[in-house]
C-alpha cells in the first residue's frame, strides 16, 4: 500500500482548497466527522475537518490512525503569532508542541506538564519538517520559521497573555488543536508536523484580524502543503 497521509484542518476554510483539488474521493463518516480519502497532488491522502479544540483534534487523529491506517499526519491551518518577530501571514513549522493550559501546579508539576505522563512536549518528525521547509521555498514575501506551537482551549486576544506564553514556553504561535494531534501521534508512534500560518497576533486586535486574514493565511498554508505532497509523490 502506498504511503497514506492524514491531512487535518480545524475549520472549513482550512480544508476547502484541498478538497476541491482531490481526485477519486471516497467519503466516510466517523464520530460525527467526514473523512475524504483520495488522491491529492499525486499523494494518497485522507482529509478531515476536525472541528475546533483539543478533544475534537485528538478524536480525529486517532480515527485517522485506527480506521484509515495513515502513516503520517499533517495538521495545517491558522494560528495567532506569539514570537515578537512574526507578523500576520508568516508561517510556523512545528519543532515541537505542548499544551499550555495543562496546570497541575498545586501538585508540584510545572504548568504545561502532563501529570504522570512520559512526555509533555511532542517533537515533530524531522523528515516532515524538512519537507515543509522545502515546500516553503517558493512562497514570496513570507517569513517561515521552525518553532514551538502551543495549544489550549482558549482564543487568545490579550497582549499580556501573549508575552507570558513567549516568556514561559518560548512559543512561536498559539492555537487550539496542534498539541492534541501531536500527543495522539506520539502515543501511536506516527510521524507528524504542524504547519500554521498566522491570521493574527493573538493581541487586542486578534478577533478582527482573525476574520480578515484567515483566508490569506489558509491560502499560504495550502500552497506550502501542496508543495510538500508533490515532493512526497514524486
Amino acid at each position: 500500500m502506498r504511503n497514506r497521509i492524514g491531512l487535518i484542518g480545524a475549520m472549513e476554510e482550512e480544508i476547502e482548497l484541498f478538497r476541491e483539488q482531490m481526485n477519486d474521493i471516497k467519503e466516510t463518516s466517523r464520530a460525527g466527522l467526514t473523512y475524504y480519502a483520495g488522491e491529492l497532488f499525486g499523494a494518497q491522502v485522507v482529509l478531515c475537518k476536525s472541528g475546533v479544540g483539543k478533544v475534537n483534534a485528538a478524536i480525529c487523529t486517532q480515527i485517522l490512525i485506527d480506521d484509515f491506517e495513515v502513516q503520517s499526519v499533517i495538521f495545517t491551518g491558522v494560528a495567532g503569532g506569539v514570537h515578537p518577530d512574526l507578523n500576520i501571514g508568516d508561517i510556523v513549522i512545528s519543532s515541537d508542541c505542548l499544551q499550555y493550559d495543562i496546570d497541575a501546579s498545586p501538585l508540584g508539576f510545572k504548568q504545561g506538564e502532563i501529570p504522570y505522563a512520559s512526555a509533555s512536549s511532542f517533537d515533530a518528525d524531522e523528515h516532515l519538517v524538512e519537507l515543509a521547509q522545502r515546500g516553503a521555498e517558493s512562497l514570496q514575501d513570507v517569513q517561515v520559521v521552525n518553532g514551538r506551537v502551543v495549544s489550549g482551549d482558549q482564543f487568545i486576544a490579550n497582549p499580556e497573555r501573549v508575552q507570558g506564553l513567549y516568556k514561559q514556553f518560548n512559543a512561536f504561535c498559539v492555537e487550539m488543536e496542534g498539541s492534541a494531534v501531536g500527543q495522539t501521534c506520539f502515543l501511536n508512534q506516527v510521524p507528524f508536523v504542524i504547519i500554521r500560518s498566522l491570521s493574527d497576533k493573538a493581541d487586542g486586535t486578534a478577533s478582527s484580524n482573525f476574520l480578515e486574514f484567515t483566508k490569506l493565511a489558509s491560502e499560504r498554508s495550502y500552497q506550502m502543503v501542496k508543495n510538500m505532497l508533490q515532493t512526497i509523490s514524486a
Side-chain angles (χ1 to χ4, degrees), residues 1-7 22-26 36-47 68-72 74 229-230 232-233:
M1 185 177 68
R2 293 171 61 187
N3 181 42
R4 180 177 285 179
I5 301 162
L7 181 57
M22 288 184 70
N23 298 313
D24 303 322
I25 295 177
K26 179 182 178 181
Y36 304 93
E39 184 177 80
L40 181 62
F41 307 120
Q44 291 299 310
V45 167
V46 183
L47 174 71
F68 296 95
E69 299 180 340
V70 299
Q71 283 87 52
S72 58
I74 300 171
L229 296 177
Q230 289 174 329
I232 290 170
S233 63

Side-chain angles (χ1 to χ4, degrees), residues 39-113:
E39 184 177 80
L40 181 62
F41 307 120
Q44 291 299 310
V45 167
V46 183
L47 174 71
C48 186
K49 180 183 73 173
S50 65
V52 174
K54 294 187 297 179
V55 173
N56 285 328
I59 291 171
C60 177
T61 305
Q62 192 65 56
I63 290 173
L64 282 172
I65 294 169
D66 287 345
D67 290 11
F68 296 95
E69 299 180 340
V70 299
Q71 283 87 52
S72 58
V73 173
I74 300 171
F75 193 100
T76 182
V78 301
V82 173
H83 194 289
D85 294 338
L86 295 177
N87 293 299
I88 291 172
D90 289 342
I91 293 176
V92 177
I93 303 167
S94 63
S95 57
D96 69 327
C97 56
L98 63 78
Q99 300 173 60
Y100 69 83
D101 60 349
I102 293 275
D103 187 1
S105 53
L107 299 176
F109 297 94
K110 296 179 181 178
Q111 186 172 349
E113 183 178 1

Side-chain angles (χ1 to χ4, degrees), residues 8-9 17 23 31 37-38 52 54 64 66 81 92 99 104 118 138 150 188 193 201-202 210 212-213 215 227 230:
I8 308 172
L17 292 174
N23 298 313
V52 174
K54 294 187 297 179
L64 282 172
D66 287 345
V92 177
Q99 300 173 60
S118 62
S138 65
V150 297
N188 288 275
V193 69
K201 297 195 71 173
F210 176 81
E212 181 178 357
F213 292 108
K215 187 174 186 295
N227 294 342
Q230 289 174 329

Side-chain angles (χ1 to χ4, degrees), residues 116-127:
Y116 315 114
S118 62
S120 295
S121 66
F122 309 100
D123 293 335
D125 178 73
E126 292 183 0
H127 178 60

Side-chain angles (χ1 to χ4, degrees), residues 1 39 57 103 135 175 186 196 216:
M1 185 177 68
E39 184 177 80
D103 187 1
E175 37 87 294
F186 168 80
R196 290 295 201 177
L216 168 66

